[in-house]
């Protein structure tokens, strides 16, 4: 087999803890001198993982790729690290907005974490007629998104929108963005048929309804928007959090970044 002349992949210790930080990590190829962690992350490294000076941590911030960094100081409740090796360049994921009726507590945590793992670029909670949760804790959503990104080796955190009602949320979508409408009332069909008719690599949004599903008025409102592809997720009604994962899987497999479709 032809040996590629690409340099060997940098040594990356997958066991090293990964932390999302807000600070800059580098300017181009040049790493910043040091990054000092916030109190909570410092406590996590020092007292939970019991790491000290010399230990290595992987840092990412959604802009500069992932950097391996060495702990250079751990004192007075603050851990300071020196990034010295870019282990992965920043790459842009699919342009995939995730519009969803927020569920309550643990089910919402699950929905957010799974959507982040599946590579969405934006989390947009939508309040529909039958949505039970009226308010969304955005800090909690952000914490769930960060945890999923750290654990699943992602390089960025999706944008997190404040909750808004269905009509303004639909208006906010750019005209050219195709909306994939997961409709529990759609005639049972294989979603791959509808999705494989769309051009891959385009800006997308997916819409998942609440425990009570969509009302007919909402269905009509959604249907009036151009560039809507209504899909069924098969013959059974899925719970909203299950539907979210199922929909994102078929979307990423047909139109997203799970690999080019075989001819
Ligand atoms: N009552 C259940 C399911 C409600 S349907 C619950 O407690 O969650 C929730 C949402 O999941 C629907 O609005 C739709 O967006 C999606 N969904 C569920 N089953 C589906 C199906 N078979 N086809 C298309 N979308 C589906």
């Amino acid at each position: 087999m032809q040996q590629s002349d690409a340099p060997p992949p940098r040594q990356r210790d997958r066991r090293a803890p990964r932390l999302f930080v807000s600070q800059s990590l580098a300017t181009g190829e040049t790493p910043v001198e040091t990054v000092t962690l916030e109190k909570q992350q410092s406590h996590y490294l020092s007292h939970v993982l019991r790491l000290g000076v010399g230990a290595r941590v992987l840092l990412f911030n959604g802009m500069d790729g992932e950097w391996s960094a060495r702990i250079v100081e751990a004192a007075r409740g603050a851990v300071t690290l020196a990034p010295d090796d870019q282990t992965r360049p920043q790459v842009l994921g699919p342009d995939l907005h995730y519009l969803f009726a927020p569920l309550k507590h643990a089910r919402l945590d699950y929905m957010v974490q799974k959507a982040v793992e599946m590579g969405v670029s934006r989390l947009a909670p939508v309040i529909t007629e039958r949505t039970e949760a009226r308010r969304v804790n955005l800090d909690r959503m952000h914490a769930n998104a960060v945890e999923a990104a750290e654990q699943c080796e992602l390089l960025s955190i999706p944008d997190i929108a404040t909750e808004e009602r269905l009509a303004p949320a639909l208006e906010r979508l750019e005209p050219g963005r195709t909306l994939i409408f997961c409709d529990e009332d759609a005639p049972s069909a294989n979603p791959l048929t509808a999705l494989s008719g769309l051009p891959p690599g385009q800006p997308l949004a997916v819409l998942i309804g609440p425990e009570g599903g969509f009302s007919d008025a909402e269905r009509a409102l959604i249907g009036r928007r151009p560039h809507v592809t209504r899909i069924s997720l098969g013959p059974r009604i899925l719970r909203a959090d299950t539907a979210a994962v199922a929909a994102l899987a078929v979307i990423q497999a047909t139109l997203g970044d799970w690999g080019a479709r075989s001819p």
Side-chain angles (χ1 to χ4, degrees), residues 50-166:
R50 309 183 71 74
L51 298 178
V53 170
R56 283 210 163 262
V57 175
L58 294 171
L59 302 178
F60 67 104
N61 62 7
M63 298 171 293
D64 302 327
E66 179 190 80
W67 284 78
S68 175
R70 212 167 42 79
I71 295 179
V72 293
E73 187 183 355
R76 294 179 300 285
V79 169
T80 300
L81 302 105
D84 54 20
D85 179 23
Q86 189 187 46
T87 45
R88 291 164 65 198
Q90 190 66 34
V91 287
L92 209 53
D95 183 356
L96 173 54
H97 292 189
Y98 172 60
L99 280 65
F100 61 101
L103 303 177
K104 289 228 171 92
H105 312 314
R107 287 180 72 192
L108 178 59
D109 294 345
Y110 175 90
M111 266 186 122
V112 167
Q113 293 225 5
K114 300 311 142 194
V116 173
E117 292 170 42
M118 301 290 272
V120 303
S121 59
R122 181 177 169 83
L123 297 166
V126 176
I127 308 299
T128 66
E129 285 175 37
R130 300 173 188 169
T131 300
E132 286 180 23
R134 304 317 285 180
R135 299 273 315 136
V136 180
N137 181 333
L138 298 178
D139 290 342
R140 185 179 173 129
M141 268 179 64
H142 183 263
N144 275 309
V146 168
E147 186 181 338
E150 289 174 343
Q151 287 175 357
C152 297
E153 303 193 359
L154 300 185
L155 290 171
S156 47
I157 309 293
D159 297 334
I160 296 184
T162 50
E163 69 273 20
E164 60 184 341
R165 306 194 66 75
L166 180 60

Side-chain angles (χ1 to χ4, degrees), residues 39-61:
K39 192 158 174 286
Q40 193 183 353
Q41 289 181 320
S42 295
H43 177 270
Y44 172 64
L45 291 187
S46 297
H47 300 291
V48 176
L49 300 186
R50 309 183 71 74
L51 298 178
V53 170
R56 283 210 163 262
V57 175
L58 294 171
L59 302 178
F60 67 104
N61 62 7

Side-chain angles (χ1 to χ4, degrees), residues 103 107 181-186 207-214 219 231-244:
L103 303 177
R107 287 180 72 192
F181 169 35
C182 298
D183 185 356
E184 71 282 1
D185 273 5
L207 174 61
I208 301 282
E211 290 91 334
F214 288 101
R219 212 162 261 117
I231 65 169
S232 157
L233 292 171
R236 287 167 290 279
I237 294 292
L238 308 175
R239 296 195 74 180
D241 33 357
T242 312

